[in-house]
Amino acid sequence: MRRAPGPSPAPQATSPGRFDIVGMSGVPAQHAALMQNDRMVFLDKVENYTQLQLPDGRHAYSAEYDPFTNQTMPLSYKTNAFCSGGAFLANGTLLDVGGNAPLSYVDPTVGDGFNGIRYLSRSPVDAALNGHDWSEPGNKLSSARWYPSVQTLNDGSVFVASGSLTGLDPTNASNNNPTYEMLNSDGISNGIAVSMDLLVKAQPYYMYPFIHLLRDGSLFIFVSKTAEIFEPTSNKTVRQLPELSGQYRTYPNTGGSVMLPMSRATNWTSDIVICGGGAYQDITSPTDASCGRIAPLGDDPKWEMDSMPEGRVMVEGTLLPDGTVVWMNGCSMGAQGYGLGKYATTQALIYDSNSPLGHRWTADANSTIPRMYHSVALLNSDATITVAGSNPNQEPVLLSSAQNPTSLAPNGSSFAISFLDNSNGTSASVVLYHGGFVTHSLHMGARMAMLDSKGFQSGVQAQQLNVTMPPSANVAVPGPYMIFVLVDGTPSVGTWVTVVPPAPVRFTLQNTAPPGDTANSTIVAAAPSNNNGWHAKDLFGAPSLWWMWLVVFLWHYGSTMSLSRAAPKLRHTSFAFRQITQRRCASTHDAPATSATHGGHADPGHGTESFGRSFYFVVLLVPVSMGVYAISRDARNGEANPITRLMVEQAGQDRNLFLNSPNPNWHDLRMPEMFNAGSPCAVPAGHNVNLEHVMEHYRRRNEKDDLERGERDERRRREEWRTSR
């Protein structure tokens, strides 16, 4: 393995940007995401210091920030989101999962967040949603996860991996959760945690792994110093990748990871860049200046080594609309954790992936504020970073036009986009950008696609481009995106669109569980087909007619001939069918007393008997099967038949419900004298029991038990901390 290079000086940018202090976030910004209303949402843990208060006087632990007015709004949540993970669902809802224990001595109204699932919805057009609190209807992860990573997949489902069970010492394996689980497109867990070898082997450096969805639908997963390509639907490691030289790269010595922009020119390949890191979790830990770049789907993937001007930990890379990456934040000594970092690195660095090796880095502006542990960086819709200043160049202006789309499908289709060019530019390009969820130097789910476009006319103010979408949801996963138009490299203000999952044509049940586990089956979409005629994949189709003929033929002859005798007749179907009808037509009173032979066969004679029930049954099957096919077939425009889809979906849901539903907390009642024991649902008719009163009693008792359990756990953790000191 090649040794990691040391620091390498970078030239100063000829036209650097600047950092402006423009406002306050309202709460400590541990986690952040840019919503479709162009506002940022910040998430903090439960603590007794924030600048915002809720209407009831409690501290707010989440805020909605408007970068155009520099105003903040307090948001509430029900479970502690400390060190959680997140992603966007296909419908644009922000999903936040995992967290930490309740702190009842700080805020008794916020519960245990270890297995919490939170939802936040905003709209680019409906301002009524602004300021709405986090929604927590009660859905839970299958197990506790503190420091999990999250990635939306091509079908809108969500992959959640890693995390701590207790929030305690990760060198003790009993505290760790090196597993993954799947959530459906609505953000509801399948309830199954599956062990993952890569995470098991990487302990204690297994939390907050770097995860990126690749062009073929597989996942690039990196922890510690190792990486692999993983197929989540089959629970298989597709390829082990070489180890990245240098120091540890993930929590608690997290560097930064970026999947570079994809384009048709490179066949939508996905290069990954990982920079920074450290040696151990202490303020004395040295940091790593090296960067590794790899093409994980290449024929022989190897790390190409490069280096920043200085070592950094807690450094994060943010994609810019022109395809470059800005790296900022962090420090040059220490690790993640409270009070564990020093020597803040305040200079922004620009990485140009298209430049030759050794000439990719330039030094940009310096900030006056150290940003280390629990800092974030987000790309705004005006193409600035939340800590960056204004752009002095004149921007292309995207028009509010009915021709400009609001939803797009990743299927290679084309769309038109209109804008005004006041710069007399010479060329234009279009970028599709998904910012993902930002926390602890990770940009979960962030991705960018450089779209093909044509139609730009130099010197014309009113422009319209014809733009082509990526070929699949492996490149552009479902969810909210911003579209930027760049004229001579200067970006427009981004406009929000929703990338929708490609419409499935039909469904099949497929077992996606590990070998030997039959409990977890999901519904997956088969490949679309443009064939609107008869084909074998139809639930009911023309091939079924031939099977019906064969079944009736064998059934009719089953009592008079063996299968071995019937088989040769199948080679002469027409002759065999003629024999059937002749034999059924033979009349007993017309039959001769002695049989004549014709070529060794008995003369069946001639009669007036009808064809028989079998014949009419076969004839009836033809229109019946065609009628069933006409009802159940897909539409000619490729849209899946709703009856077929609903039947198969319901079958899959019923199967999962039957196999995965937990056992009830009460016993079956088998004797009359047990009617008043066991189940709160077992109430005999006529007893007039107030079920709401009963359920309220158990709810209060459970809340009391949860509160006492949380206090015991907090006292135990404090005692363990004191003894460890």
Side-chain angles (χ1 to χ4, degrees):
M1 181 176 62
R2 181 183 175 185
R3 185 175 180 179
S8 177
Q12 186 68 31
T14 55
S15 299
R18 73 175 188 266
F19 287 85
D20 290 334
I21 301 174
V22 296
M24 306 295 285
S25 61
V27 301
Q30 288 189 12
H31 321 287
L34 181 67
M35 305 299 290
Q36 289 174 281
N37 59 356
D38 285 327
R39 297 182 178 185
M40 299 169 211
V41 168
F42 300 119
L43 268 169
D44 184 27
K45 69 173 184 176
V46 174
E47 57 182 330
N48 56 6
Y49 167 75
T50 65
Q51 293 177 327
L52 299 178
Q53 288 187 332
L54 299 170
D56 61 3
R58 295 185 296 115
H59 286 290
Y61 313 119
S62 181
E64 182 173 344
Y65 170 72
D66 186 343
F68 302 103
T69 64
N70 295 318
Q71 300 297 312
T72 55
M73 303 174 68
L75 305 177
S76 68
Y77 58 55
K78 299 177 182 177
T79 56
N80 191 356
F82 179 31
C83 296
S84 53
F88 281 93
L89 299 179
N91 63 5
T93 297
L94 178 61
L95 174 77
D96 184 75
V97 300
N100 206 276
L103 299 177
S104 57
Y105 61 91
V106 175
D107 190 340
T109 68
V110 178
D112 190 337
F114 270 114
N115 61 352
I117 301 180
R118 308 163 198 90
Y119 310 88
L120 191 70
S121 297
R122 295 293 185 265
S123 169
V125 295
D126 185 6
L129 293 176
N130 296 348
H132 281 205
D133 294 328
W134 288 84
S135 172
E136 297 182 63
N139 303 325
K140 299 294 182 181
L141 297 173
S142 67
S143 57
R145 298 188 186 275
W146 185 56
Y147 281 85
S149 289
V150 187
Q151 173 65 57
T152 304
L153 302 184
N154 54 13
D155 61 353
S157 61
V158 181
F159 179 83
V160 180
S162 191
S164 171
L165 293 170
T166 62
L168 301 177
D169 183 6
T171 62
N172 182 347
S174 64
N175 294 324
N176 302 340
N177 190 3
T179 68
Y180 74 89
E181 64 185 276
M182 299 296 299
L183 280 61
N184 67 14
S185 59
D186 294 323
I188 300 174
S189 174
N190 64 4
I192 301 173
V194 182
S195 179
M196 190 171 184
D197 289 343
L198 179 69
L199 301 179
V200 173
K201 296 175 183 177
Q203 297 176 97
Y205 284 86
Y206 76 103
M207 292 186 285
Y208 271 164
F210 300 145
I211 304 177
H212 301 284
L213 179 69
L214 301 179
R215 176 193 63 193
D216 63 351
S218 60
L219 294 174
F220 170 91
I221 303 179
F222 182 100
V223 283
S224 183
K225 303 179 181 181
T226 59
E228 70 178 27
I229 298 175
F230 183 76
E231 175 50 61
T233 58
S234 60
N235 188 32
K236 291 182 180 178
T237 297
V238 178
R239 171 187 278 179
Q240 295 279 357
L241 297 173
E243 184 175 298
L244 176 58
S245 59
Q247 298 173 354
Y248 297 111
R249 309 285 184 165
T250 53
Y251 181 85
N253 299 104
T254 303
S257 175
V258 172
M259 184 169 70
L260 296 177
M262 299 166 284
S263 69
R264 184 186 58 82
T266 58
N267 196 25
W268 308 104
T269 54
S270 314
D271 279 15
I272 311 294
V273 176
I274 296 176
C275 293
Y280 46 85
Q281 190 178 22
D282 190 79
I283 197 171
T284 63
S285 172
T287 58
D288 201 321
S290 68
C291 300
R293 176 174 172 175
I294 193 170
L297 296 180
D299 294 334
D300 185 21
K302 289 183 172 59
W303 291 100
E304 178 188 72
M305 301 305 296
D306 200 350
S307 61
M308 299 180 289
E310 59 187 335
R312 291 193 179 195
V313 68
M314 296 178 279
V315 61
E316 56 188 292
T318 303
L319 291 162
L320 297 177
D322 63 356
T324 59
V325 185
V326 59
W327 297 79
M328 57 178 59
N329 302 344
C331 58
S332 60
M333 180 172 285
Q336 287 178 310
Y338 292 110
L340 295 182
K342 60 181 179 179
Y343 308 138
T345 49
T346 58
Q347 187 170 48
L349 302 173
I350 304 297
Y351 177 84
D352 186 353
S353 62
N354 294 321
S355 296
L357 181 63
H359 301 276
R360 294 172 179 164
W361 293 94
T362 54
D364 211 271
N366 277 281
S367 172
T368 59
I369 300 176
R371 300 187 183 276
M372 298 188 286
Y373 190 44
H374 290 162
S375 62
V376 296
L378 281 174
L379 179 69
N380 298 325
S381 61
D382 63 357
T384 63
I385 308 297
T386 55
V387 291
S390 63
N391 190 335
N393 295 322
Q394 192 172 24
E395 299 172 336
V397 180
L398 290 177
L399 298 177
S400 297
S401 169
Q403 295 180 350
N404 289 349
T406 58
S407 64
L408 299 167
N411 55 8
S413 58
S414 297
F415 65 93
I417 190 167
S418 302
F419 64 98
L420 296 179
D421 174 28
N422 298 316
S423 65
N424 197 27
T426 59
S427 65
S429 58
V430 181
V431 170
L432 188 67
Y433 174 73
H434 179 79
F437 181 87
V438 182
T439 183
H440 295 73
S441 304
L442 279 76
H443 288 231
M444 299 181 188
R447 57 204 303 112
M448 179 181 289
M450 317 296 284
L451 304 184
D452 290 341
S453 63
K454 58 184 178 181
F456 182 80
Q457 303 177 58
S458 180
V460 177
Q461 184 185 44
Q463 300 278 355
Q464 185 178 74
L465 298 180
N466 186 269
V467 187
T468 303
M469 280 292 288
S472 76
N474 294 329
V475 176
V477 300
Y481 285 74
M482 285 189 291
I483 285 184
F484 293 93
V485 174
L486 293 86
V487 175
D488 294 342
T490 300
S492 69
V493 173
T495 184
W496 286 98
V497 297
T498 299
V499 173
V500 298
V505 173
R506 57 185 55 83
F507 294 88
T508 58
L509 282 177
Q510 175 178 320
N511 185 15
T512 61
D517 180 5
T518 59
N520 180 24
S521 293
T522 61
I523 298 174
V524 299
S529 170
N530 293 324
N531 180 10
N532 289 315
W534 305 95
H535 48 86
K537 287 187 177 181
D538 289 316
L539 182 62
F540 297 101
S544 62
L545 290 176
W546 298 107
W547 284 108
M548 291 178 185
W549 281 90
L550 178 61
V551 169
V552 171
F553 176 79
L554 294 177
W555 167 67
H556 179 81
Y557 260 99
S559 61
T560 58
M561 58 185 295
S562 66
L563 185 60
S564 61
R565 291 181 58 194
K569 292 184 179 291
L570 297 180
R571 294 194 296 269
H572 307 284
T573 306
S574 176
F575 172 70
F577 184 73
R578 180 174 60 85
Q579 281 196 322
I580 294 173
T581 57
Q582 288 178 343
R583 182 166 300 179
R584 299 297 279 177
C585 290
S587 173
T588 54
H589 63 269
D590 286 340
T594 58
S595 298
T597 60
H598 297 274
H601 295 284
D603 188 347
H606 303 281
T608 59
E609 185 181 348
S610 66
F611 287 112
R613 289 175 298 176
S614 300
F615 174 80
Y616 293 109
F617 179 72
V618 172
V619 173
L620 181 63
L621 282 179
V622 175
V624 170
S625 60
M626 295 182 68
V628 172
Y629 174 75
I631 295 173
S632 64
R633 70 176 298 181
D634 295 340
R636 292 191 178 275
N637 61 4
E639 183 178 352
N641 182 273
I643 298 176
T644 305
R645 184 184 71 247
L646 291 175
M647 289 175 60
V648 178
E649 285 182 347
Q650 188 61 51
Q653 293 168 3
D654 291 345
R655 183 176 187 274
N656 277 324
L657 181 65
F658 178 76
L659 294 175
N660 300 327
S661 294
N663 292 325
N665 295 324
W666 54 82
H667 299 286
D668 292 335
L669 305 180
R670 303 182 184 278
M671 295 178 291
E673 59 268 22
M674 291 296 293
F675 267 116
N676 292 321
S679 169
C681 298
V683 180
H687 279 214
N688 296 321
V689 176
N690 188 339
L691 287 181
E692 292 182 355
H693 175 76
V694 174
M695 296 176 70
E696 179 63 19
H697 166 74
Y698 283 106
R699 186 187 66 80
R700 288 197 300 267
R701 191 175 73 177
N702 288 337
E703 287 181 350
K704 180 180 178 182
D705 292 341
D706 290 342
L707 182 62
E708 293 175 351
R709 188 183 305 109
E711 291 174 347
R712 288 197 303 271
D713 292 343
E714 181 63 22
R715 288 195 298 269
R716 177 175 56 81
R717 278 194 289 269
R718 287 176 170 271
E719 183 64 27
E720 290 176 348
W721 183 82
R722 283 195 296 268
T723 56
S724 65
R725 301 289 291 180

